[in-house]
Amino acid sequence: MAFRRPVIGLTLDAEPPGGYSRWPWYALRANYASAIEAAGGLPLALPHLAALAEEMLARLDGLIVTGGAFDVDPAIYGEAAAHPSVTLKSARTEAEMALLAGALAADKPVLGICGGEQLLAVMLGGTLVQHIPDEIPNALPHEGHEPGHPITLVANTRLARATGAGAMHVNSSHHQAVRTPGREAIVSAMAPDGVIEGIEAPGRRFCLGVQWHPEFLSDPGDGRLLAAFVAACR
């Protein structure tokens, strides 16, 4: 029998008219797909059609909720006021919440990346820091794109086992972070300033979120993490 790559759904970003098209358009950095291909998966892009989430998930072996330059609506995790820096993409969030809810209900492997980790935490009942510079004293600069700071991984977590590491040097491109990881979830990585960099739900098949972007493969642990996720999807 020929080798069958597990089908990995990747959520898309969305942009208004302008630039690429004079109509609304979807977007996804190519390295998301190439990194999943290199890890042994078959990447499949997912449009924002919340009503079709169940049918999409039936065809997927695993789900990656990608990052983007926007935020989860604070009202979803019980905060009435939004920080002035908060930017919303409501249709995207609605679609990703439908996909995550279905994947969690079916215990399909899930990996949340950057904003995807934040949404995963919220879906598990957690909360977010709306703007790191205003809430975390002496915070590191987290809004960059190159490898920016070290993290410490919690021993004996799935993240530590998957990466084979106790520490990593990661890229950082976010102004929000997980405050509390939610029910059934634990913290699996931290930055030196106390920002949560990884969460996971130990009782599930594979349910993990990371605050950085492993698709850039900037640390040796990144490729091992993606390979472990794809392996869990087989």
Side-chain angles (χ1 to χ4, degrees), residues 151-166:
I151 59 169
T152 300
L153 283 65
V154 177
N156 300 316
T157 57
R158 179 182 287 274
L159 179 60
R161 293 192 297 271
T163 59

Side-chain angles (χ1 to χ4, degrees), residues 11-50:
T11 61
L12 292 165
D13 201 2
E15 294 294 338
Y20 170 75
S21 173
R22 57 194 178 116
W23 289 278
W25 48 283
Y26 290 122
L28 186 71
R29 272 188 286 99
N31 62 353
Y32 276 109
S34 61
I36 289 302
E37 184 273 335
L42 177 65
L44 185 68
L46 305 176
H48 301 165
L49 301 171

Side-chain angles (χ1 to χ4, degrees), residues 69-149:
F70 72 105
D71 306 299
V72 179
D73 188 343
I76 297 172
Y77 50 94
E79 295 191 6
H83 189 275
S85 65
V86 167
T87 301
L88 304 181
K89 289 187 176 180
S90 299
R92 174 174 176 175
T93 297
E94 178 187 2
E96 289 183 331
M97 288 179 67
L99 287 163
L100 263 177
L104 292 170
D107 200 20
K108 284 184 183 269
V110 169
L111 176 62
I113 293 177
C114 197
E117 180 207 38
Q118 295 165 13
L119 184 60
L120 176 61
V122 169
M123 292 293 290
L124 293 173
T127 58
L128 304 181
V129 173
Q130 289 197 40
H131 193 58
I132 291 170
D134 285 2
E135 296 193 48
I136 298 180
N138 304 311
L140 294 166
H142 287 273
E143 296 184 67
H145 294 283
E146 299 301 321
H149 62 76

